[in-house]
Amino acid sequence: MPRKLPFRVIHASGQDESYRASELNYHSPLTKGWQASRYCLYPQDIVLQLDQRCRLRKIQILSHQYLIATKIEFFVGDVPEDMSPNLENARYTRLGYVSLSDNEKTGFKARELKSVHVDAVGLYLKLNIHKNHINKYNIYNQVGIIAINVIGETLKGPSDFMDPEYYLDPDRKGQLDDLGLDTYNKPDYISPLDDLAFDMYQDPEIAGIIRKLEKKKQEAVLQERFDYAKRLKSAITELQKVGEKLGKYEVEKRQAVENEDYDKAKLKKVQMDEYRLQVYRDLNLADLLETTGSRHPQVIDLEPIRQATPPRLLELTPRSPIQRSPPRTPPPRTPYDERPLPALKRPPAVPDEEPEPAETAVGITGEPEPLTEKDLREASAAIDVFGEQLVSKAYSKTWSYREDALLAVYKQMQDLPATAPKDEAKSMIRATIFLVKKAIDDKVYAVFKAGLHLLKMILTEYVPKHKIQKQDTVWAVERSMQNLLHKSGDTAVRNRDDAKNFVLEMARYPEVKPTNCVPHEAVKPMKNSVAPRLGQSRCEIVEMLYKDLGIKTNSGLNIDNIMQFCVAALGHHAGEVRDVSERIIKAIYKEDRQAVKDYLPADDDKTRKITLYRQLFEYFDKVDGKPSKADVRKKRSDEETKKQAEIEALQKQLQSLKDMASGKQPVDENLLKADKNKKKNEPPKKSKIINKKPTADDDDTSVYNMDNICIFCGERNESFTEEGLDLHYWKHCPMLKRCTNCKQVVEIATYTDHLLNECEAKNNYSKCNRCTEAIPKSEYDQHVSEKSCNAAKSSANHCPLCHQNVSSGEDGWKNHLMGKDGCKQNPRRLLSLNKNPSTGGTSKNKPKATGKNKKTPR
């Protein structure tokens, strides 16, 4: 069975001194990988030597995120039997190559893992690495490989437990067939534990334990200890999650060491040790490994299958020995990410409260940590009021100190007498708001709640007691609102709900409501780049305020500020944000219909093609009592069906009359009588109706309608349905073109204005005062200095394609862009002429689009 093959790098054509080729010998989250020397020559070569002659089955390459090679070739090397096994005597066979992505789509943040399945025998593996992809981060034209993994089978040497011949033995094969263990009958099976991704993201110690447990699970299955095997399987799944988290902690610890932030490194070290020990105890690891004996005593090798990790950068503190406990029924376990560390478990402050984060792993030593110079400068105003000792608690890494600091501030503010000087009361409220903002952003729920209680006391008790001026109250609310709105987008549900409910509650406070500062802050338009969860919460806060306060003169909410907020939210990329905004708009529409429509696009066919606006306008039609477009289409369809039935009945009757006249069927007197009476009652036909020409004032849509006509070029086509017109606009209409920057379809007549005012690349263009065209800024100076452009005339149109002046007016544009002798730079003109050669590209007797119906398709 293929397994992970140990190797070592014995040759590299070049290397960066900080990223040597020997880094490839190890796999761990701390692996830095190999990088070529700066400005090296290509291709670069790396040669790996396996421990012994092997059959290679799979090769994995983890590339650097921005030092990316364009191509990597693979060669397997072997030494003839009559020669000594060294690199000089190796003979190579080319296996093939892989191409690597330039990684632009991920912003050079993701690493590409390439896996190649091969079947070759040899002692050496050679990588031929070609030149790099060029990007702004790779300033020295280097290539880099983070890790290499080789999977295969050893051809020489004693067989181990995983050797497939062990399972193909006749005696054991029958035993395995009885158990139904199909996995062991697959000689090509590769264990997930041998995959490169496993070692690169797992803590090395946990990875070694997982491999031991996997080995014991396989032995337990062969011994028919299925309950034990089930426990091992569950433990392996849990440990994989733990290993990934510990690997992340290890990387953070190394980054702290490199930044010389030794306090953080120490915190991560203690956090890792406590977390690791807690997991071992919860899983009863000593019992799982049977280090003190088992039901079926046997000799088991507990050493790791492959030591693939370099020594750790920081020496960890000794761990307590793990003692085996008697078998017991384990209690229901919660995810490890939500468990408190054993030394610092506290009774919950509220029912069903999650344990506090592992940041409390430092422990309570009696005094908080001293403030850093940065913290001293930042909190200088608070220190002047409350003292350095109290503020240092607010900055402590221990959450209980932070909570105690807020409670102490709460008591000091309540104890301040009403006769205290106004300046002192003002200074205290400003210092407190600084600490409240910090508490609202705190990750620990108890600290966050303490901050809310303190803010409530300030606005409901402290402000009226000390008669704080209105501008100071507004300042306090506006500063805290910023953090509350941000907290409403928190990942924890209770944090989001508490933040939203407190905003609504704060808007009702007697000292806050007259200022209207809460609704004013809430309805400030947000950017479309806001995270979906935060955007949804912002919209829900506005919805709650609208339902509670309404649109009144003194409520702080009006049509203008709410609609500006909602229209901005309608452009958000997340559907949950748009849904809440749509609910608000529908509710407001019932109060002021015309005002709402003034903030939305025009209600026309083009706008209704957008699903969001179509649903809104259909709701408006329903509120107004108008039939929806769907109802109109259904009614029209029913009328057409009825008309078609009448035509078929008349045709059938006519055919019967013809058959009677030819003698094919007997004469039906009733049918003749009915036909005669029908003709008698019909009014005389007027032949001039047939030759009637459409006029601008003709309202008869059966004679003339706009359904199948392009409003830009005037072409009529039965295929011009909604989808057909979109295709016509996109590819064929000679009056339109696609913008080379944003790819929107715009009118050629307004293309210059689009580039200067509407296009997303408008900042890259400047207007030439001579020819009035949009010129790229990179060419603008040369364009102006040469003065070779065709000057525009005020009495004529200026074509942005051929740069010529053409006749003024809409007809001038049509003759130029669609006529036989028109614009030579308009490729769609020839397509239009070939389709309609008789018209010559003109629009005689074709309708002109005017008013609000003429809008450029997007």
Side-chain angles (χ1 to χ4, degrees):
M1 183 179 296
R3 61 181 179 86
K4 197 167 191 172
L5 299 176
F7 62 81
R8 62 188 180 92
V9 179
I10 61 173
H11 170 75
S13 57
Q15 61 185 4
D16 191 302
E17 289 302 319
S18 300
Y19 301 90
R20 305 179 68 86
S22 57
E23 281 283 326
L24 299 175
N25 295 334
Y26 309 101
H27 297 162
S28 79
L30 299 180
T31 299
K32 297 190 298 182
W34 164 85
Q35 292 182 13
S37 57
R38 298 179 178 182
Y39 302 115
C40 63
L41 299 177
Y42 291 102
Q44 293 281 299
D45 292 332
I46 294 179
V47 180
L48 314 179
Q49 182 178 4
L50 305 174
D51 281 1
Q52 51 189 311
R53 194 164 178 264
C54 301
R55 181 186 180 188
L56 308 185
R57 306 302 298 273
K58 186 177 181 180
I59 304 171
Q60 292 182 297
I61 301 289
L62 182 62
S63 174
H64 195 275
Q65 60 268 30
Y66 57 84
L67 306 181
I68 309 168
T70 55
K71 183 172 69 172
I72 300 178
E73 293 183 276
F74 298 96
F75 299 82
V76 62
D78 204 357
V79 179
E81 295 182 358
D82 56 346
M83 303 180 70
S84 60
N86 54 55
L87 183 61
E88 289 76 14
N89 296 330
R91 302 292 184 269
Y92 292 98
T93 302
R94 185 176 184 272
L95 300 178
Y97 73 91
V98 293
S99 299
L100 300 178
S101 169
D102 58 12
N103 214 15
E104 288 185 4
K105 292 183 179 179
T106 67
F108 306 101
K109 294 180 180 179
R111 295 170 175 172
E112 184 176 8
L113 176 62
K114 282 286 189 181
S115 298
V116 183
H117 291 272
V118 298
D119 191 356
V121 176
L123 183 61
Y124 302 98
L125 177 64
K126 178 180 177 182
L127 277 65
N128 195 258
I129 305 164
H130 290 253
K131 65 180 181 179
N132 61 290
H133 282 291
I134 298 175
N135 58 67
K136 61 182 179 180
Y137 300 103
N138 192 356
I139 57 178
Y140 300 115
N141 291 336
Q142 296 172 276
V143 292
I145 295 177
I146 302 299
I148 302 174
N149 189 32
V150 183
I151 297 176
E153 301 163 296
T154 303
L155 297 182
K156 296 181 180 180
S159 61
D160 56 14
F161 183 79
M162 299 297 291
D163 193 332
E165 294 183 0
Y166 177 87
Y167 303 104
L168 298 179
D169 181 83
D171 296 334
R172 295 192 180 274
K173 187 176 187 301
Q175 180 182 4
L176 294 173
D177 290 340
D178 294 339
L179 294 175
L181 301 178
D182 295 336
T183 303
Y184 300 119
N185 290 328
K186 298 178 180 178
D188 293 334
Y189 173 75
I190 298 176
S191 171
L193 304 184
D194 290 330
D195 194 87
L196 181 58
F198 178 77
D199 278 324
M200 292 303 295
Y201 298 104
Q202 285 284 338
D203 174 74
E205 182 176 326
I206 297 295
I209 293 175
I210 291 175
R211 287 192 169 97
K212 295 176 187 177
L213 294 178
E214 180 67 24
K215 185 175 181 179
K216 293 191 69 64
K217 184 186 75 173
Q218 294 168 354
E219 291 178 345
V221 172
L222 293 176
Q223 297 166 4
E224 298 187 6
R225 301 172 60 191
F226 298 119
D227 290 338
Y228 178 46
K230 182 179 179 181
R231 289 176 54 207
L232 290 171
K233 178 183 177 182
S234 177
I236 290 172
T237 303
E238 296 282 357
L239 283 173
Q240 287 178 341
K241 301 176 183 177
V242 174
E244 290 181 4
K245 186 167 184 178
L246 287 174
K248 180 181 177 182
Y249 285 162
E250 188 71 35
V251 173
E252 293 175 353
K253 184 180 72 174
R254 187 175 80 169
Q255 291 176 346
V257 172
E258 292 176 351
N259 296 333
E260 298 187 357
D261 187 352
Y262 301 118
D263 291 335
K264 183 177 180 180
K266 179 182 177 182
L267 174 64
K268 289 296 178 183
K269 175 178 179 293
V270 175
Q271 190 175 355
M272 290 172 61
D273 289 348
E274 294 287 353
Y275 183 45
R276 193 190 306 271
L277 183 59
Q278 177 67 26
V279 171
Y280 290 169
R281 287 174 177 170
D282 288 345
L283 290 177
N284 200 3
L285 193 60
D287 186 37
L288 286 174
L289 291 172
E290 296 182 336
T291 54
T292 57
S294 67
R295 193 182 62 155
H296 299 283
Q298 56 187 309
V299 179
I300 301 175
D301 180 16
L302 294 181
E303 290 301 317
I305 294 178
R306 178 175 184 264
Q307 183 62 32
T309 308
R312 298 183 180 176
L313 294 179
L314 296 177
E315 188 67 28
L316 296 178
T317 56
R319 297 187 180 86
S320 303
I322 302 174
Q323 301 295 331
R324 183 178 182 228
S325 59
R328 58 185 176 86
T329 303
R333 293 201 295 267
T334 58
Y336 292 111
D337 290 353
E338 299 180 2
R339 295 189 188 182
L341 296 177
L344 297 170
K345 289 182 180 177
R346 290 169 53 97
V350 296
D352 299 329
E353 180 179 3
E354 296 95 2
E356 302 303 336
E359 64 175 13
T360 58
V362 175
I364 300 177
T365 60
E367 292 294 333
E369 308 92 317
L371 294 172
T372 63
E373 292 184 6
K374 178 183 176 182
D375 295 340
L376 286 170
R377 290 193 299 270
E378 182 182 66
S380 58
I383 293 173
D384 293 341
V385 175
F386 299 112
E388 184 175 345
Q389 183 176 4
L390 188 148
V391 176
S392 63
K393 287 187 176 182
Y395 273 81
S396 175
K397 295 178 180 177
T398 305
W399 70 267
S400 57
Y401 279 141
R402 302 197 295 272
E403 184 183 21
D404 292 342
L406 295 172
L407 296 176
V409 171
Y410 189 100
K411 188 174 185 305
Q412 285 191 31
M413 296 191 75
Q414 282 194 323
D415 293 343
L416 186 69
T419 57
K422 297 295 182 182
D423 291 342
E424 182 180 353
K426 180 178 178 180
S427 299
M428 182 171 284
I429 193 175
R430 286 184 173 268
T432 305
I433 291 298
F434 171 80
L435 298 178
V436 167
K437 286 167 60 66
K438 188 174 178 59
I440 293 174
D441 291 337
D442 203 292
K443 296 180 180 179
V444 179
Y445 183 72
V447 181
F448 168 55
K449 288 294 289 184
L452 294 183
H453 289 311
L454 179 56
L455 181 58
K456 180 178 180 180
M457 185 273 294
I458 293 173
L459 298 176
T460 58
E461 300 178 20
Y462 187 86
V463 168
K465 178 181 177 181
H466 295 276
K467 297 180 181 179
I468 302 298
Q469 294 182 358
K470 181 178 179 180
Q471 58 266 30
D472 293 325
T473 304
V474 171
W475 177 87
V477 173
E478 289 178 349
R479 297 299 294 272
S480 55
M481 271 288 291
Q482 299 170 5
N483 300 78
L484 286 169
L485 292 177
H486 184 267
K487 193 70 173 183
S488 68
D490 196 89
T491 54
V493 176
R494 63 177 180 180
N495 288 348
R496 294 201 301 270
D497 292 342
D498 287 351
K500 290 186 289 187
N501 292 332
F502 188 84
V503 170
L504 181 62
E505 180 184 352
M506 186 167 58
R508 300 169 180 165
Y509 291 158
E511 300 296 327
V512 178
K513 187 174 182 180
T515 65
N516 295 329
C517 51
V518 172
H520 285 167
E521 288 293 318
V523 297
K524 287 183 177 179
M526 58 185 176
K527 297 181 179 179
N528 291 340
S529 57
V530 171
R533 189 182 295 111
L534 177 57
Q536 182 181 359
S537 296
R538 287 282 307 274
C539 292
E540 289 173 348
I541 289 174
V542 173
E543 185 179 27
M544 293 164 61
L545 290 173
Y546 167 70
K547 291 179 179 179
D548 188 68
L549 303 177
I551 300 177
K552 303 174 184 176
T553 306
N554 57 350
S555 69
L557 295 177
N558 53 60
I559 296 289
D560 292 337
N561 56 24
I562 292 186
M563 285 303 300
Q564 288 175 4
F565 175 86
C566 291
V567 170
L570 286 178
H572 198 277
H573 61 86
E576 54 268 26
V577 179
R578 299 193 299 271
D579 291 342
V580 182
S581 177
E582 190 176 346
R583 287 204 306 265
I584 301 173
I585 294 175
K586 289 178 178 179
I588 299 175
Y589 185 78
K590 296 178 180 179
E591 296 189 35
D592 195 334
R593 302 179 182 182
Q594 187 56 44
V596 170
K597 286 188 174 181
D598 290 343
Y599 285 90
L600 299 175
D603 184 5
D604 52 26
D605 292 338
K606 178 191 167 185
T607 304
R608 290 196 179 232
K609 289 180 182 178
I610 303 173
T611 304
L612 175 65
Y613 289 117
R614 181 174 67 251
Q615 293 174 349
L616 271 177
F617 288 130
E618 287 179 353
Y619 176 82
F620 295 164
D621 292 341
K622 184 178 179 181
V623 172
D624 297 337
K626 298 178 182 178
S628 65
K629 295 288 185 181
D631 295 336
V632 173
R633 285 195 297 268
K634 183 179 179 182
K635 183 178 179 181
R636 185 182 300 171
S637 177
D638 293 342
E639 291 177 352
E640 290 178 355
T641 303
K642 183 178 178 181
K643 184 177 180 181
Q644 184 65 28
E646 292 177 356
I647 293 173
E648 291 177 356
L650 289 173
Q651 288 178 345
K652 184 177 180 182
Q653 186 178 358
L654 179 61
Q655 185 62 37
S656 298
L657 292 172
K658 289 181 178 180
D659 291 344
M660 286 187 290
S662 62
K664 293 182 180 180
Q665 70 177 42
V667 177
D668 188 347
E669 295 293 340
N670 294 328
L671 184 60
L672 291 174
K673 194 174 191 180
D675 184 61
K676 184 175 181 181
N677 292 334
K678 184 175 180 181
K679 290 182 178 180
K680 182 178 180 181
N681 295 329
E682 283 183 355
K685 295 183 180 180
K686 297 181 180 180
S687 59
K688 63 178 181 180
I689 295 179
I690 301 176
N691 300 323
K692 182 178 178 181
K693 299 289 185 180
T695 63
D697 298 327
D698 195 347
D699 295 328
D700 188 356
T701 56
S702 65
V703 176
Y704 178 70
N705 62 68
M706 299 284 290
D707 288 345
N708 305 108
I709 298 177
C710 172
I711 63 175
F712 298 100
C713 66
E715 180 181 349
R716 179 191 293 272
N717 196 315
E718 292 299 329
S719 65
F720 283 178
T721 59
E722 291 186 4
E723 295 79 5
L725 277 174
D726 284 341
L727 180 63
H728 174 71
Y729 294 153
W730 187 251
K731 289 187 176 181
H732 305 301
C733 184
M735 300 295 291
L736 307 176
K737 79 180 298 293
R738 274 178 285 177
C739 176
T740 56
N741 298 295
C742 64
K743 306 305 180 184
Q744 290 185 355
V745 179
V746 298
E747 288 186 83
I748 297 175
T750 62
Y751 185 55
T752 297
D753 291 336
H754 168 78
L755 291 177
L756 294 173
N757 302 313
E758 299 176 357
C759 184
E760 61 186 21
K762 62 183 179 181
N763 294 330
N764 298 333
Y765 289 89
S766 296
K767 182 177 181 180
C768 173
N769 295 327
R770 178 182 171 86
C771 64
T772 69
E773 292 187 36
I775 308 299
K777 289 184 177 180
S778 58
E779 305 172 6
Y780 183 76
D781 293 338
Q782 181 181 356
H783 176 85
V784 173
S785 61
E786 290 179 352
K787 296 183 179 180
S788 59
C789 57
N790 187 15
K793 297 180 180 179
S794 58
S795 60
N797 296 324
H798 189 82
C799 178
L801 303 182
C802 65
H803 317 297
Q804 299 298 319
N805 295 316
V806 298
S807 302
S808 61
E810 185 174 349
D811 290 337
W813 277 116
K814 286 190 174 182
N815 291 331
H816 178 67
L817 296 174
M818 301 171 54
K820 293 182 178 180
D821 300 324
C823 182
K824 306 300 182 184
Q825 302 299 323
N826 184 9
R828 297 187 179 187
R829 180 180 64 88
L830 298 178
L831 295 175
S832 177
L833 290 175
N834 291 336
K835 183 184 294 186
N836 302 304
S838 61
T839 63
T842 60
S843 55
K844 293 181 180 179
N845 297 329
K846 293 184 180 179
K848 295 182 179 180
T850 59
K852 64 179 182 180
N853 288 329
K854 184 175 181 180
K855 289 186 176 289
T856 305
R858 300 290 183 190

